[in-house]
Amino acid sequence: MILTRVFIVFFMSHTHMNTIDSHQGLMRWRKTIFQFQRDDTPIELKISELSEEENRRFSDAINRSTRECGCSMGSMFMMISCIGWIILYFLTGGTFAHISLRGIFTLFILMVIASLTGKVLGLILARYTLFRTSRMITEKMVHHSGQDKLLFS
């Protein structure tokens, strides 16, 4: 957490940041979450209804999810499929002497499909996390301001 904040402050301090300081700005940004090609410029929240700590915490969460590329979930799916295939191969009577080029090719194809599936699911999960975070921000704004109309805008 501290390293993430240091990274954002130190390495991204000279880059352009999108500042969100109102409910309208939050809603404009929220509409871009599920777009295929998005602006991944770091977000800085300065919403008056939230405390400085809440603004910083939500900004960090948004920027962490925005940078997510799905690679970690893709590699996890690939590793699980590889280990699972190897275990299944030996549990069904396979031996080292009977490993064929076809079996290696099948494992390779399985790993590619699994990694692509994991990558896509990782990207979807990151977008969902961004959407959920924006919803939490809106709910906090409603709680602090007492304006129920914000929730349904």
Side-chain angles (χ1 to χ4, degrees):
M1 180 66 151
I2 293 173
L3 289 177
T4 302
R5 186 69 182 158
V6 168
F7 175 80
I8 290 172
V9 170
F10 183 73
F11 292 106
M12 297 183 149
S13 61
H14 302 298
T15 62
H16 173 71
M17 289 190 107
N18 287 336
T19 301
I20 298 175
D21 58 1
S22 66
H23 181 257
Q24 290 80 19
L26 180 65
M27 290 301 110
R28 272 193 307 275
W29 171 76
R30 190 178 185 174
K31 289 178 184 177
T32 69
I33 290 174
F34 290 105
Q35 291 178 355
F36 183 70
Q37 191 69 8
R38 295 181 315 114
D39 178 16
D40 289 338
T41 306
I43 301 291
E44 180 179 24
L45 295 179
K46 291 187 176 181
I47 298 173
S48 60
E49 289 90 354
L50 303 179
S51 69
E52 187 175 319
E53 171 64 24
E54 288 173 323
N55 277 315
R56 185 188 57 77
R57 192 169 40 87
F58 282 128
S59 295
D60 289 346
I62 288 169
N63 291 321
R64 209 174 22 258
S65 292
T66 300
R67 289 188 305 271
E68 180 63 44
C69 65
C71 292
S72 59
M73 191 169 287
S75 64
M76 182 181 68
F77 271 52
M78 184 175 70
M79 182 182 67
I80 290 170
S81 69
C82 179
I83 292 170
W85 188 88
I86 291 170
I87 290 171
L88 184 64
Y89 175 78
F90 287 111
L91 285 178
T92 57
T95 62
F96 284 112
H98 293 107
I99 294 176
S100 66
L101 191 57
R102 181 178 179 190
I104 293 171
F105 183 72
T106 302
L107 175 61
F108 175 75
I109 295 298
L110 176 68
M111 288 173 34
V112 168
I113 291 170
S115 65
L116 290 175
T117 302
K119 183 163 182 77
V120 169
L121 287 175
L123 288 170
I124 290 169
L125 181 64
R127 298 304 189 252
Y128 173 73
T129 302
L130 285 171
F131 181 76
R132 195 179 70 219
T133 302
S134 72
R135 186 74 176 168
M136 288 170 45
I137 294 168
T138 303
E139 289 171 0
K140 284 271 190 186
M141 291 171 68
V142 168
H143 176 72
H144 287 288
S145 69
Q147 298 175 3
D148 290 337
K149 65 180 182 175
L150 287 177
L151 205 80
F152 303 105
S153 299

